[in-house]
Amino acid sequence: MPIVVDPDSGAVAALLAALPSTAHQSAHGVPNGDRLLRWLDEHPTEYVVVIGPSIPLEEALLLCEGLRVGKPTLSLVLVRERLEAAMLTRAMASGVREVVALGDTAGLLGSVARAEELHLALRGPGSAAATGRIVTVFSPKGGVGKTTLAVNLAVALSKGGAKRVCLVDLDLAFGDVAITLQLLPTHSIEHAIGSESAVDLPLVEGLLTRHEASVMVLAPPNHPDVRERITALLVSRILATLRTGFDYIVVDTAPDFDEHTLTALDESDECVMVATLDLPTLKNVKIGLATLDSLGIAAGHHHVVLNHADEDTGLTVQQAEEILARRIKVRMQSSIDVARSTNQGVPIMSSQPEHAVSSAIRGLAAQLSGGASEPFAVADEDAPRRRSSRRMKLRR
């Protein structure tokens, strides 16, 4: 898949948006050469790197020179604001396959298409591994309904025509995915400790637990102290391997930027950020979104979900959007049915597929799979009672 490298998150987002639709769905952005090299070491099947205009020419050519020798099958596309003959000559000598002017969308599309043709010619069409999409559900604040959303999103994706969906519980100390689904896993990620160099699909599949909703689950360790023995490299290798066997990998994370969460975010194609209508959470989420932007993580693919979006909190959705400086496309109001379904171990997507919350999550799944992009606001089934209650309070 195309990899875009540029320290400017805006430039990364613009270049990703300019890529062809099939490539755009799998494209990834990194902010600098060091992150690019780490990514390429962990993803040996990458075939094209687009080097953005914000990287100084000398730095870009030095990076290309190293890649020319170290990864000769990788196509390098250099994007520059101006094309000059001397620069073109130096670029070609450094291993750049094509140079494209900034804003030349057709030229960029052609360069990436030719890189893919060369990749298939060198490796053969049959050798191209399937690449599933990694969707990471994150919030820097606990208690916002992140795990409930991740579980139901995985079920929604499995019902939306995806062949296979895997749900990874990466809250390695206090993960609740298994108990939420009332599963009793016999294996977990703990059983892969020390296997960084031997991770393959059969090994990972042996660690998974099947849920009746056709979702496979990778459970966290049984004891919190095991988390320290699980390396970021192991997490990266497992997620990369899951890409080859699943259409979607939904990752539930811990509510902080620990090394495992950062690894998952770095691997992500889509990031779902969960917020609620209270100032402390919105403040933390705003900082979290800024952090993702600064790191170039899933650039242009951030989805803010507003949970417990009840009017009685004293804040409005519009105010939340102003605080976050983001459009909130998915809103879910509180419902006792969600808590009931969680306590029963049956995701509300399965028990009540026509519920308002289920409809909102289905809308989010459609966004993630390239479907509709209009806002999905959940109708509150208790709205008349709430309004009546407010009127009573006003009278008092």
Side-chain angles (χ1 to χ4, degrees), residues 223-279:
H223 302 287
D225 56 351
V226 177
R227 174 181 58 175
E228 303 302 325
R229 297 166 49 206
I230 298 174
T231 65
L233 179 59
L234 177 61
V235 171
S236 176
R237 293 279 169 83
I238 287 176
L239 293 177
T241 300
L242 287 170
R243 281 187 187 273
T244 68
F246 292 85
D247 296 283
Y248 289 96
I249 303 95
V250 178
V251 184
D252 185 28
T253 57
D256 56 65
F257 284 105
D258 61 18
E259 63 172 350
H260 305 110
T261 296
L262 283 171
T263 298
L265 289 168
D266 202 29
E267 298 280 349
S268 300
D269 300 293
E270 310 280 348
C271 179
V272 177
M273 184 74 79
V274 187
T276 52
L277 269 182
D278 61 272
L279 285 176

Side-chain angles (χ1 to χ4, degrees), residues 32-313:
N32 54 52
D34 289 339
R35 288 274 294 279
L36 172 65
L37 294 176
R38 290 202 299 271
W39 178 273
L40 293 175
D41 285 342
E42 296 166 4
H43 301 79
T45 60
E46 306 292 18
Y47 64 88
V48 61
V49 172
V50 178
I51 301 173
S54 304
I55 297 181
L57 179 61
E58 297 300 327
E59 181 181 338
L61 295 182
L62 185 63
L63 175 62
C64 292
E65 182 66 30
L67 292 173
R68 179 182 68 83
V69 176
K71 299 186 180 296
T73 61
L74 190 67
S75 293
L76 304 175
V77 178
L78 184 63
V79 179
R80 297 286 98 180
E81 291 187 0
R82 294 188 304 274
L83 303 185
E84 300 173 352
M87 182 267 291
L88 294 174
T89 301
R90 294 183 61 197
M92 297 305 172
S94 298
V96 176
R97 188 166 298 277
E98 298 191 37
V99 182
V100 179
L102 180 63
D104 183 3
T105 301
L108 181 61
L109 293 178
S111 297
V112 171
R114 286 186 288 274
E116 186 173 14
E117 290 175 0
L118 178 62
H119 170 72
L120 293 176
L122 291 173
R123 298 176 62 89
S127 66
T131 52
R133 295 179 60 69
I134 295 178
V135 180
T136 297
V137 182
F138 175 68
S139 178
K141 192 78 160 53
V144 298
K146 176 176 52 62
T147 296
T148 299
L149 177 62
V151 167
N152 281 280
L153 178 59
V155 174
L157 289 169
S158 72
K159 293 179 179 294
K163 295 178 182 178
R164 301 190 73 192
V165 175
C166 183
L167 176 58
V168 178
D169 192 341
L170 213 56
D171 188 345
L172 299 178
F174 302 105
D176 291 326
V177 165
I179 193 171
T180 298
L181 293 171
Q182 290 194 354
L183 297 176
L184 298 173
T186 57
H187 292 80
S188 73
I189 192 173
E190 177 181 357
H191 295 87
I193 291 175
S195 302
E196 285 86 348
S197 61
V199 174
D200 58 15
L201 192 57
L203 183 149
V204 177
E205 287 182 322
L207 306 178
L208 304 180
T209 303
R210 177 179 292 278
H211 182 259
E212 61 184 20
S214 299
V215 174
M216 301 298 290
V217 175
L218 179 58
N222 288 326
H223 302 287
D225 56 351
V226 177
R227 174 181 58 175
E228 303 302 325
R229 297 166 49 206
I230 298 174
T231 65
L233 179 59
L234 177 61
V235 171
S236 176
R237 293 279 169 83
I238 287 176
L239 293 177
T241 300
L242 287 170
R243 281 187 187 273
T244 68
F246 292 85
D247 296 283
Y248 289 96
I249 303 95
V250 178
V251 184
D252 185 28
T253 57
D256 56 65
F257 284 105
D258 61 18
E259 63 172 350
H260 305 110
T261 296
L262 283 171
T263 298
L265 289 168
D266 202 29
E267 298 280 349
S268 300
D269 300 293
E270 310 280 348
C271 179
V272 177
M273 184 74 79
V274 187
T276 52
L277 269 182
D278 61 272
L279 285 176
T281 298
L282 290 172
K283 182 265 293 183
N284 286 2
V285 167
K286 183 174 184 176
I287 294 173
L289 288 168
T291 302
L292 297 183
D293 287 339
S294 66
L295 296 175
I297 290 173
H301 294 264
H302 301 161
H303 308 264
V304 178
V305 173
L306 191 61
N307 196 17
H308 305 307
D310 306 316
E311 297 176 2
D312 290 341
T313 61

